[in-house]
Amino acid sequence: MVNDEENSKSSNVEESQSVTPWAVSASAGKIDYDKLIDQFGCTLLDQASLNRVQRLTSRLPHVFLRRFIFFAHRDFNEILDAYERGHKFYLYTGRGPSSEALHLGHLIPFMFTKYLQEAFKVPLVIQLTDDEKCMWKNLSVEETQRLGRENAKDIIACGFDVSKTFIFSDFDYVGGPFYQNMVKISTCVPLDKVQETFGFTGEDYIGKIGFPSVQAAPSFSSSFPHLFNGRKNIRCLIPCAVDQDPYFRITRDVAPRLGYLKPSLIESSTFPALQGETGKMLSSDPNYAIYVTDSAKEIRNKIMKYAFSGGQDTIEKQRQLGANLEVDVAFKYLSYFLEDDDELEQIKKAYGSGEMLTGEVKKRLAEVLIELIEKHRLARAAVTKEMVDAFMADRIFPNMVKKENIRVNDNLDEVQTVSTSDDQLESQPLDSSLIDRVQRLSSRPPHACLRRNVFCAHRDLDKVLDSYEQGEEFYLFTGLRPCSALNLGHLVQFMFAKYLQDAFDVPLVIQLSDDENFMWNDLSVEESRRLARENAKDIIACGFDISKTFIFSNFDYIGRSFYQNIAKVANCVTLNKVRGIFGFTSEDHIGKYSFPPVQAVPSFPSSFPHLFTSMENLRCLIPCAIDQDPYFRMTRDVAPRLGYHKPSLIESTFFPALQGENGKMSASDPNSAIYVTDSAEEIRNKIMKYAFSGEQDTIEKQRQFGANLEVDISIKYLSFFLEDDDELEQIKKAYASGEMLSIEVKERLVDVLVELVERHRRARAAVTDDVVDAFMAVRPLVYMFD
């Protein structure tokens, strides 16, 4: 049987139009997509598929689906079939970084991919083909790498979930299994096939000839062993413009020969240039494109001056005959970006009948695009270098790592699910049933951080609750790397740990990793130890029970049983494993490689024989921020091999910096953090000056549209620290509707935080050196021997 891909012809559709990954043109005035589909061999997307998407995701299909902007597919139904059977898939899309900023055409696949990620709750890989642009655009390696990182900021600003998104540049990432797949693909594709598909000639560089294998490789999950924990046959769905189809026809031809599943595609029409639908919007011609960096004035000018009109050449004719909507670019753009279906239909009817003039349609388009780009600009401004690093960091996607593997038969017609014995280390969302169970077992209302989903994920919390319900004890473990002063982000985990200690009446160990501070921050041993004791005062001020709490510093406590466990853990974790989890390189000193076991062993009660005599199998629950998860994934992997219970985790989101939620509050940046040592005046100044606002840019717009609560830091902080649920809900409602202004919300936040910090300051002032000594004394916790 001949594959549809093998039967596909060149990407030239007669002489009247040309569609390649690098250029799209049509002399007849518009692209004939029916002919293109016939030549490419893809399938039209139908209403039945849209209805199925809505049923499976329980949400209205994206506007790009409802209006069939994404209009064609390859095996999309197979993705939906697998998803309905409970099998995950991943998304793959990309960007060739050839300019400083994205234009509207570039935004389309990312806006749609964000919808798919949220609707299906699946991971995403985004390829930055800096190598392609080096070869095609004659840019230096360094320049394409720089442009790649700049473009990554625009991509991140679209709102992707960092826990489910991996952005990589080819220059930085290609190697290992990815490179192996490139070689495998290239040995399956003859030169004449590439020349036929892409139109390459003998004058093209061999780099171009080899590039299709680079763009094909991300279609196979085995190219990302660090993301998918070695699983090789996870299905892939590629949202892209139809001009990228030639790459993936080759990919789909090759896949079965390599023992892989064919990637599925969902394809959009090309986004037209301002001058008309004969071609796509190009970065190389600024007058063809509207950029995300364009000012409101530039956007308005480009639309009014360059947007090709389907209106008649006189007002009289327009009133009489109406506009030709098939070629009108302003109307085409509104079809992409005007969310309201009813308004779009009204404009379509009025403009097509002559009731509306071109100037009116262009004016509405300018309003829509100015609002869209201003939102994007605000989101991009909040993307930091650290956030780009986080999206581009090698790590496992937890939601793809399950206690099952997908094994594909030789004929690829059947997919079987088989059990695995390895711990696949999957974090689970913290759902309402667990929160209800916590309330029932503790006989007290859940903490605000639970009610409001601040602590949002867990590992085996249900096992701890099962044991507790059966009358078995557990203990808590949390910690801190000593710093000059605690900020609000540090307080969150200690406030929550205190709630857990009080609610379940259990012991707590708190690790002060002064050795880590010594190794990472280049401080002396003495200064690290001093900071640890100062921080202990702030921790004690949170109100922990001394009879149930042991605080220790690594420099002071490590030895004997604790050190024996460090050696045991270190003997179970390879250097490659540590590199894979933490991204260490050969330039990092061996102290950093040795530290993960130090943070792991407080998870095991045998590390504290003076606390838990003959209680080696006591379970441990670790409340922590989700960025600490890599340490404890490793710990959970090692535990059974040492004969210990795996520690359970309950994990919080990052506490956002004042400047925005794209990073966590950092003690290294005083303007990103509010410290427990800050005065009332300093707190007020920081909130008023630095707290990122989701308010509209004018009072009039705020009254009309309300604030964007998703990005507003004052609302985020109130969600952490305002105890009264009813008041918080009232503020959110009033602020989102425009009834409240940002200044009013910030004033309330100031009141809450000044009261919180002042209360903490008074409690800390009462903590003496003798009290610190008592908490850090090596002694039995009497409670555990009752």
Side-chain angles (χ1 to χ4, degrees):
M1 182 177 176
V2 178
N3 289 337
D4 60 350
E5 287 78 24
E6 291 173 346
N7 203 32
S8 296
K9 300 177 183 177
S10 166
S11 56
N12 289 331
V13 181
E14 301 182 349
E15 294 182 358
S16 61
Q17 63 183 34
S18 174
V19 178
T20 74
W22 311 286
V24 175
S25 62
S27 58
K30 60 176 292 189
I31 303 297
D32 188 332
Y33 287 105
D34 290 333
K35 287 185 178 179
L36 194 64
I37 283 180
D38 180 58
Q39 292 294 322
F40 280 4
C42 8
T43 305
L44 278 173
L45 200 63
D46 58 20
Q47 187 61 45
S49 294
L50 268 60
N51 293 342
R52 194 174 177 201
V53 167
Q54 181 165 357
R55 176 172 59 80
L56 290 175
T57 62
S58 300
R59 62 192 293 171
L60 187 69
H62 193 277
V63 64
F64 294 163
L65 282 178
R66 300 199 304 271
R67 297 171 190 169
F68 289 99
I69 288 165
F70 278 80
F71 72 104
H73 73 95
R74 293 183 184 272
D75 291 345
F76 183 48
N77 287 327
E78 291 191 14
I79 284 283
L80 299 182
D81 290 343
Y83 186 79
E84 198 158 15
R85 293 195 300 265
H87 300 310
K88 289 282 191 179
F89 63 90
Y90 74 99
L91 299 164
Y92 156 41
T93 192
R95 158 79 181 133
S98 59
S99 61
E100 289 281 349
L102 274 61
H103 60 56
L104 292 180
H106 297 138
L107 280 187
I108 301 297
F110 294 115
M111 292 167 69
F112 185 63
T113 301
K114 177 180 181 290
Y115 153 77
L116 291 173
Q117 183 183 66
E118 291 178 346
F120 290 97
K121 298 178 176 62
V122 291
L124 162 68
V125 297
I126 299 175
Q127 180 182 41
L128 299 174
T129 55
D130 43 9
D131 51 346
E132 177 195 19
K133 295 309 174 185
C134 184
M135 292 183 283
W136 260 263
K137 298 291 185 181
N138 199 27
L139 298 171
S140 69
V141 172
E142 294 75 20
E143 178 64 3
T144 55
Q145 286 183 301
R146 185 188 70 80
L147 290 174
R149 285 188 65 89
E150 287 301 308
N151 288 180
K153 294 178 182 177
D154 280 305
I155 294 168
I156 293 166
C158 291
F160 293 108
D161 182 346
V162 69
S163 71
K164 290 190 279 221
T165 306
F166 175 53
I167 302 175
F168 68 98
S169 86
D170 289 340
F171 276 135
D172 290 336
Y173 182 72
V174 169
F178 192 103
Y179 180 68
Q180 292 167 23
N181 274 339
M182 285 169 49
V183 174
K184 290 177 184 177
I185 293 163
S186 64
T187 59
C188 294
V189 183
L191 177 63
D192 59 358
K193 180 70 173 180
V194 174
Q195 289 179 317
E196 175 193 350
T197 304
F198 298 102
F200 294 144
T201 70
E203 299 301 313
D204 284 304
Y205 294 115
I206 58 173
K208 292 184 178 182
I209 304 298
F211 180 74
S213 65
V214 183
Q215 187 153 328
S219 308
F220 308 132
S221 60
S222 60
S223 297
F224 307 100
H226 65 288
L227 298 182
F228 303 121
N229 207 31
R231 289 176 60 186
K232 297 182 178 179
N233 280 295
I234 303 172
R235 290 186 181 275
C236 177
L237 174 62
I238 305 171
C240 62
V242 73
D243 62 335
Q244 297 298 304
D245 188 90
Y247 280 119
F248 301 115
R249 290 205 304 274
I250 285 181
T251 308
R252 285 168 54 84
D253 281 346
V254 165
R257 299 161 65 182
L258 300 179
Y260 297 145
L261 292 167
K262 291 183 180 183
S264 299
L265 277 73
I266 184 165
E267 301 179 321
S268 71
S269 54
T270 57
F271 189 70
L274 281 166
Q275 283 84 344
E277 206 176 13
T278 55
K280 67 176 182 177
M281 186 176 277
L282 299 172
S283 299
S284 55
D285 188 339
N287 292 328
Y288 275 59
I290 292 178
Y291 291 90
V292 295
T293 53
D294 283 345
S295 67
K297 182 179 179 181
E298 289 170 324
I299 294 169
R300 191 174 287 107
N301 179 63
K302 285 183 179 182
I303 291 169
M304 294 301 180
K305 188 173 181 180
Y306 296 112
F308 186 83
S309 172
Q312 303 298 327
D313 54 4
T314 67
I315 293 177
E316 290 74 18
K317 284 185 179 180
Q318 172 63 17
R319 296 298 189 196
Q320 181 183 0
L321 303 171
N324 180 357
L325 304 185
E326 292 297 316
V327 298
D328 193 277
V329 169
F331 181 75
K332 294 286 183 184
Y333 282 19
L334 284 172
S335 298
Y336 280 83
F337 299 114
L338 181 59
E339 288 282 341
D340 191 323
D341 290 336
D342 292 336
E343 184 184 355
L344 182 66
E345 187 60 31
Q346 185 181 353
I347 291 172
K348 180 180 180 180
K349 187 182 287 187
Y351 193 31
S353 68
E355 184 182 339
M356 285 185 78
L357 302 178
T358 296
E360 297 173 282
V361 178
K362 288 186 173 184
K363 180 182 177 184
R364 182 65 182 116
L365 175 62
E367 292 170 351
V368 170
L369 295 186
I370 287 168
E371 181 181 357
L372 171 74
I373 287 177
E374 183 57 29
K375 284 181 180 177
H376 182 87
R377 186 180 292 115
L378 289 172
R380 191 190 193 280
V383 178
T384 64
K385 173 183 177 295
E386 291 74 21
M387 196 59 184
V388 175
D389 291 340
F391 271 90
M392 300 184 80
D394 292 358
R395 74 274 191 201
I396 292 176
F397 280 154
N399 63 329
M400 290 303 297
V401 185
K402 297 185 175 179
K403 294 185 178 180
E404 64 178 34
N405 274 336
I406 303 300
R407 178 183 296 156
V408 181
N409 292 345
D410 291 338
N411 62 10
L412 297 177
D413 289 332
E414 244 179 274
V415 180
Q416 297 177 336
T417 301
V418 294
S419 297
T420 62
S421 57
D422 295 333
D423 176 48
Q424 300 292 343
L425 309 174
E426 180 182 352
S427 280
Q428 298 289 334
L430 195 62
D431 59 30
S432 58
S433 64
L434 278 176
I435 296 174
D436 292 341
R437 196 174 176 201
V438 167
Q439 180 169 358
R440 176 172 59 80
L441 292 175
S442 65
S443 301
R444 62 167 59 198
H447 193 276
C449 287
L450 278 180
R451 299 195 306 270
R452 298 168 188 169
N453 209 36
V454 171
F455 278 81
C456 59
H458 75 97
R459 294 181 185 272
D460 290 345
L461 175 61
D462 50 338
K463 290 186 179 180
V464 166
L465 298 181
D466 288 345
S467 297
Y468 185 81
E469 197 159 16
Q470 293 161 12
E472 298 174 14
E473 301 287 352
F474 66 92
Y475 73 102
L476 300 166
F477 158 42
T478 192
L480 175 72
R481 182 200 292 186
C483 54
S484 55
L486 270 63
N487 61 42
L488 293 183
H490 296 133
L491 277 189
V492 170
Q493 72 182 72
F494 291 113
M495 292 165 67
F496 187 65
K498 179 184 183 300
Y499 155 77
L500 291 174
Q501 183 182 65
D502 292 345
F504 291 98
D505 197 31
V506 291
L508 164 68
V509 296
I510 300 175
Q511 180 182 43
L512 299 174
S513 50
D514 45 7
D515 52 348
E516 179 190 20
N517 214 19
F518 170 75
M519 291 184 286
W520 261 260
N521 292 342
D522 200 27
L523 298 175
S524 67
V525 172
E526 293 74 17
E527 179 62 6
S528 297
R529 293 175 70 191
R530 186 191 69 80
L531 288 175
R533 285 186 63 88
E534 288 302 306
N535 290 174
K537 294 179 181 179
D538 281 304
I539 294 168
I540 293 165
C542 292
F544 293 108
D545 184 342
I546 191 170
S547 70
K548 290 183 283 192
T549 306
F550 174 52
I551 302 175
F552 68 98
S553 83
N554 289 338
F555 273 135
D556 290 337
Y557 181 72
I558 287 176
R560 296 187 177 270
S561 298
F562 197 101
Y563 183 73
Q564 290 168 20
N565 273 338
I566 290 175
K568 290 176 184 177
V569 173
N571 201 40
C572 292
V573 183
T574 66
L575 182 141
N576 284 338
K577 179 77 170 178
V578 173
R579 279 180 170 169
I581 294 174
F582 300 101
F584 296 152
T585 70
S586 56
E587 300 299 313
D588 289 304
H589 56 67
I590 59 174
K592 289 186 178 182
Y593 284 93
S594 302
F595 181 74
V598 180
Q599 185 151 332
V601 299
S603 309
F604 308 137
S606 59
S607 299
F608 307 102
H610 64 286
L611 299 181
F612 309 125
T613 304
S614 301
M615 303 181 77
E616 288 82 5
N617 284 303
L618 193 67
R619 289 191 180 274
C620 176
L621 174 61
I622 306 171
C624 63
I626 202 163
D627 62 340
Q628 297 300 301
D629 189 86
Y631 283 113
F632 302 117
R633 289 204 308 269
M634 183 201 74
T635 308
R636 285 168 54 82
D637 187 46
V638 165
R641 298 157 68 182
L642 300 179
Y644 298 144
H645 283 306
K646 293 180 183 182
S648 299
L649 279 73
I650 183 166
E651 301 175 315
S652 72
T653 57
F654 292 133
F655 188 79
L658 281 165
Q659 288 85 345
E661 203 177 19
N662 287 316
K664 64 177 181 177
M665 185 175 278
S666 171
S668 60
D669 181 0
N671 290 329
S672 74
I674 291 177
Y675 294 90
V676 295
T677 53
D678 283 346
S679 66
E681 182 179 353
E682 289 171 323
I683 292 171
R684 176 176 297 279
N685 179 64
K686 286 183 178 182
I687 291 171
M688 294 300 178
K689 188 173 181 181
Y690 297 112
F692 186 83
S693 173
E695 186 183 54
Q696 303 296 329
D697 54 2
T698 66
I699 292 177
E700 291 74 22
K701 283 186 179 179
Q702 171 62 15
R703 295 300 189 196
Q704 183 180 1
F705 299 111
N708 179 357
L709 304 189
E710 292 299 314
V711 299
D712 192 278
I713 288 300
S714 296
I715 287 291
K716 297 289 183 185
Y717 280 25
L718 284 170
S719 298
F720 280 84
F721 298 115
L722 180 59
E723 287 287 337
D724 190 326
D725 289 340
D726 292 337
E727 183 184 0
L728 179 64
E729 192 58 31
Q730 185 180 353
I731 291 173
K732 288 168 73 173
K733 194 171 187 179
Y735 194 29
S737 69
E739 184 182 338
M740 285 186 78
L741 300 178
S742 178
I743 186 68
E744 297 171 283
V745 179
K746 287 185 174 184
E747 286 288 354
R748 183 63 183 117
L749 176 61
V750 169
D751 293 340
V752 170
L753 294 187
V754 167
E755 181 183 354
L756 172 73
V757 171
E758 184 55 36
R759 187 168 61 243
H760 180 87
R761 187 179 291 116
R762 289 195 299 270
R764 189 190 192 280
V767 179
T768 64
D769 286 339
D770 290 340
V771 173
V772 174
D773 290 340
F775 271 90
M776 300 184 77
V778 177
R779 81 272 186 203
L781 293 180
V782 176
Y783 168 85
M784 292 304 297
F785 300 94
D786 285 347

